Amino acid sequence: DVTYKVLLLGDTGVGKTALIRSLTGTEFKANHLTTVGIDFVKKTFDADGALVQLQIWDTAGQERFRSLTKFQYRSTKGLLLVYDVTDRTSFETLGYWLDSIDSELDRNNKEPVPVFIVGNKTDLEESRVVSTQEGKKAAESHYVHGFLETSAKNGHNVSEAFNKLADAI
Ligand code: GDP
Ligand code: MG
C-alpha cells in the first residue's frame, strides 16, 4: 500500500481541524478545537481504482504566526489550503501561504505537488463575505489544481475535497 503525507494550511480559525474531524467522523463541536497529542490521522481513499492512504497532518496552532517549519512541509505530497468564506483576511492571506508553500515545495516542475483551495463554512451563508466566484478566480490566478467550498459543520464537500486531493496525487 501507498501512503502519502498531505497537509492542511491556512489561517488560524478557518476550520482545518474541524475538516479533519468531519472527514474522520468525529463529532463536530461548536467550540474552538485544538490539536492535541496527535500529529496526523490516516484514511484510505479509492483513487480511480487504486487504494491510496493519506496521512493527513494538521497544524497545532503554529499557523497563527504564519510560520511553519521545514519539518512540517517535508515529504508533503498534497495540500488543502483553507480559508473561511466569512473572513476576508483569511482569503487575502492565500497568496502569503502559496509563497510559503512554493519556497518549501517545488510546484514549478512537471509533477507539481497538488494544491486545492478550499473555502470553508458555507453553512454560514448569511455571514459570507467571499463569493464563490472570487474563490474560483483566486484558484485560477494562483495556478492551483482546483477549488471547492466546504462546510465542516454539515459535511458539505468534505470527503470530496480529500478525494480530489487523493486523485490528483
Ligand atoms: P483551525 O484553527 O483552522 O483548525 O480551525 P478550527 O477547526 O479550530 O475551527 C475554528 C472555529 O470555527 C471553531 O469554533 C469551529 O467550530 C468553527 N468551524 C470550523 N468549520 C466550520 C464550518 O464549516 N462551519 C461553521 N459554522 N463553523 C466552523
Ligand atoms: Mg486547528
Side-chain angles (χ1 to χ4, degrees):
D1 27 30
V2 203
T3 303
Y4 298 106
K5 173 180 168 181
V6 300
L7 194 56
L8 274 79
L9 284 184
D11 279 3
T12 191
V14 297
K16 301 179 296 298
T17 301
L19 284 166
I20 297 173
R21 296 209 169 164
S22 171
L23 176 79
T24 56
T26 320
E27 204 185 323
F28 182 89
K29 300 239 172 60
N31 55 345
H32 193 84
L33 304 162
T34 48
T35 314
V36 237
I38 46 152
D39 292 322
F40 57 79
V41 294
K42 284 181 178 176
K43 194 169 165 78
T44 302
F45 295 84
D46 185 338
D48 286 330
L51 288 187
V52 167
Q53 187 174 60
L54 295 189
Q55 199 185 69
I56 304 163
W57 288 63
D58 193 7
T59 48
Q62 313 90 330
E63 82 278 20
R64 194 178 299 279
F65 311 104
R66 302 209 176 105
S67 64
L68 297 196
T69 61
K70 285 200 182 305
F71 170 77
Q72 285 173 294
Y73 281 107
R74 192 155 66 202
S75 308
T76 296
K77 300 295 184 236
L79 296 104
L80 295 183
L81 178 52
V82 187
Y83 68 93
D84 172 350
V85 299
T86 73
D87 173 9
R88 183 156 288 279
T89 303
S90 74
F91 178 68
E92 283 166 356
T93 52
L94 290 179
Y96 163 80
W97 283 112
L98 283 161
D99 286 348
S100 172
I101 292 166
D102 285 341
S103 69
E104 299 297 338
L105 305 166
D106 185 10
R107 289 199 303 132
N108 296 312
N109 61 30
K110 270 194 285 181
E111 292 183 353
V113 172
V115 177
F116 284 80
I117 290 180
V118 175
N120 187 43
K121 307 197 188 181
T122 56
D123 59 286
L124 298 176
E125 195 53 47
E126 70 286 355
S127 311
R128 179 196 277 272
V129 294
V130 183
S131 71
T132 303
Q133 200 51 38
E134 281 180 283
K136 275 186 191 154
K137 271 193 188 156
E140 281 164 20
S141 66
H142 289 298
Y143 301 104
V144 298
H145 252 75
F147 164 75
L148 73 176
E149 290 189 331
T150 58
S151 166
K153 186 168 188 178
N154 65 24
H156 173 66
N157 265 349
V158 175
S159 59
E160 285 81 354
F162 288 94
N163 262 305
K164 276 177 186 280
L165 188 58
D167 281 346
I169 292 169

